[in-house]
Structures are given as C-alpha cells and as structure tokens.
Amino acid sequence: MASTQPADPSDRNFRLSLPNRADALSTSFAASYAGIMAFMAVASEGSFAKAGERLGIGRSAVSRNVQKLETQLSTRLFLRTTRTTQLTREGQRFFDNCHQGVTHIVEAMNDMLELRQGPPRGLVRISATVGFGRKIVAPLLDKFVKAYPDIAIDLLLDDRPTDFASEQIDVAFRNGRIEDSSIIAKQLIPMQMALCAAPSYIARHGMPQTLDDLAEHECINFRFSSGRIFEWEFKADGIVRKFQPRARMTFNDADLVLHAVLEGWGIAQMAGYQICDHIERNELVVALARHAPDDRGHYICYLSRQHLPTRIRVFIDFMTEQIRAMNLNCLTDFNVADECDGAAVGAAA
C-alpha cells in the first residue's frame, strides 16, 4: 500500500503550493481543480484535518472536494480508516502525474509575484508619437536602461491612437487632449503650441499681427499618418479658433516641418518641446503668443493603476521625473506683445 508521503514534504516548490496561493487558486478555478488541490494537500499532510489547516478551509470542505474528484474520476484515491489515510495505487499514480503540474503552477505564480513585488525586470513595450518619441523619450532611454539593466525596451513611434490590447503596449506617450476614459492618462507637462518663423522669414514677410493676417502668409503644414492635416488652434477672447492654413509645403514628419521653418520657407504652429532650444538661440521667433492655446498636455498613459508590474511602475516614475525636469514650458519666456522689428521680434525677456 502506498505511503501518505509519496513525495518529499520538504520540497520547497510543492510546499509553496499549499498555503495562501493554493487557496486563491482553489476558490477561483473550477470544482475539479479545487478537488485536485485538496487531494494534493491530503496526500502531503497525511490527514484531511491537516490538509484543511494548510488550505485554510474546514476538514469537511476538504473531504467534499476529494469526494467530488473521486466521483469525477470514477476512482478511489484514498483508503481511510479511523487512524490512517493512505493513497491507493491509483491515488499514487494520480499524485505523481499531478505533482509536476502543480510545481509548474507554483513557479508561474511566484514568477508573477516577483514581477509585481520583486526587482524590476522584463520587457516594457512603449508607444509614442513620432516627434515626441524621437526628441524626448528616446534620449532618456539610455539613462533608464543603465539604471535598470534587467529591463528591456521596445519603443514604437506612431502618430496613430494607441491600441493597448492588440499591440501589447504597456505605456504610451500621447499629446493634446485625452478623451479616452478607459485609460489612465497622467499629465507630464502642459503642451504649449507656438506659431513660429525664422528671423529671415520675418524680415521678408513681416510678423502676423492678427489671426486674420495668417491668410497672407506662407504656411507649412503637418499631415498625420491617417492623412488628416493638422489644424492650427488659437485662443481669442476665451474662444478656441481653428485655422486650416493654405500650405506652401506639407510634410508627414514633424522634424521636416521644423527644418522648413528654420530655413525660412514659411511659418508653422509647433509644439514647445520642438522649438525651445531654437528660440533660446534666436533661430526662431514666436508670433501671436497671446493667442496660444492652453488646454493641451503631454501625457503618459497606461491601462490600470492596479497590479502594475515593477518594471512598468519604475518606468512611469522615471519618465515623469525626467520629463518634468526639462525646460519645455518656454512660452512664458517670450514677449507676448508681438512687436514686429524683424529678427529682434520675440526676443526673450
């Protein structure tokens, strides 16, 4: 007759399967799984009472679960007397077959717990708009992976809305206004939009003084990957006004728009993160700053605050701290009186 201790009870992997982790599984899985867990506990502990203590349930519940399993298998798994509980030959065989599976489940559970509670490791898949990802996110990744060498990064640059599920995205950087209530959107910094031109362009064409003046200027457009042209937005007397410029040139890359403006080919509305350095070096001039929109932001987005793996939590915290420390809110440095003295226009105060 088989012993009630067919496996070494000191086996750490098996014994980890019996406390709270096993109880969580037995209450969430089908009755057959609850029966298997009860069976494994009885086989290990040698009694239904001790198995109940191990699983955190009553002896009678353990007995019922084992009986249901025996009925499902049409097999008697234990020989029970008033003094002993022993495995039958069939019970011994069933135990040997189940033990490896339980061990794998325990290892899988422990792996998940380590992802949530242990040192940061694993893959973080990130989505970002092309311009912001290239200019802001990508340069920070080298510092991040040096700080967390066990985390791998997969960065996807795309101006389309993020589909977290189908693309298996962990974290997304998005700009503008976030209207999707199904995601967590944490604002990193306000998103400033500025109408800019090179001093050489202003010298030839002058500075627009009103929104209506824009119709007379050579404009540079940005086209989204969807094909839609980016509409310029301004705020006048508290009212948002949209402007669809008549373009001299149109590009589907934000860096090319910036290049065209720096070369003096035209005027364009661009995000603050693109232009701050060029404003500081007097390579660009801000026009109509008093009409700049103020209701947009740069956001870091993810699906849920609950059960975030450590690798994702540290990435969110790192990027939030680093990006907020950057000097990307540069419109406050400009003279919003919109003087029009050629290259001197828009000089920093």
Side-chain angles (χ1 to χ4, degrees), residues 165-193:
S166 66
E167 299 178 63
Q168 296 184 314
I169 299 298
D170 296 309
V171 178
F173 292 89
R174 283 295 172 259
N175 309 320
R177 305 178 186 94
I178 304 296
E179 299 176 352
D180 187 351
S181 60
S182 67
I183 64 173
I184 305 299
K186 177 180 181 181
Q187 181 170 303
L188 299 171
I189 54 172
M191 181 180 183
Q192 298 183 322
M193 300 297 297

Side-chain angles (χ1 to χ4, degrees), residues 195 207-217 232 234 236 241 243 267 287-288 290-291 338:
L195 187 67
M207 177 76 82
Q209 298 299 302
T210 68
L211 297 180
D212 293 334
D213 290 345
L214 295 177
E216 306 301 322
H217 282 265
W232 298 0
F234 303 93
R241 287 185 57 181
F243 178 71
I267 192 169
L288 301 176
R290 65 185 181 277
H291 294 305
D338 292 322

Side-chain angles (χ1 to χ4, degrees), residues 126-144 153 155-157 171-175 188 273 299-300 315 318-319 322-323 326 328:
I126 308 153
S127 172
T129 54
V130 176
F132 191 80
R134 183 180 293 154
K135 175 76 173 180
I136 304 299
V137 179
L140 292 173
L141 294 180
D142 180 59
K143 184 176 180 180
F144 177 79
I153 295 295
L155 175 61
L156 173 67
L157 299 183
V171 178
F173 292 89
R174 283 295 172 259
N175 309 320
L188 299 171
Y273 74 85
Y299 297 88
I300 187 166
F315 181 81
F318 176 90
M319 285 295 174
Q322 294 293 318
I323 292 174
M326 294 180 175
L328 299 179

Side-chain angles (χ1 to χ4, degrees), residues 32-46:
S32 60
Y33 192 85
I36 292 173
M37 296 303 294
F39 163 76
M40 297 294 287
V42 174
S44 176
E45 296 298 325

Side-chain angles (χ1 to χ4, degrees), residues 123-126 164 168-172 301-303 311-312:
L123 174 68
V124 178
R125 186 165 168 81
I126 308 153
F164 284 86
Q168 296 184 314
I169 299 298
D170 296 309
V171 178
C301 306
Y302 44 101
L303 285 179
R311 69 184 188 279
I312 297 177

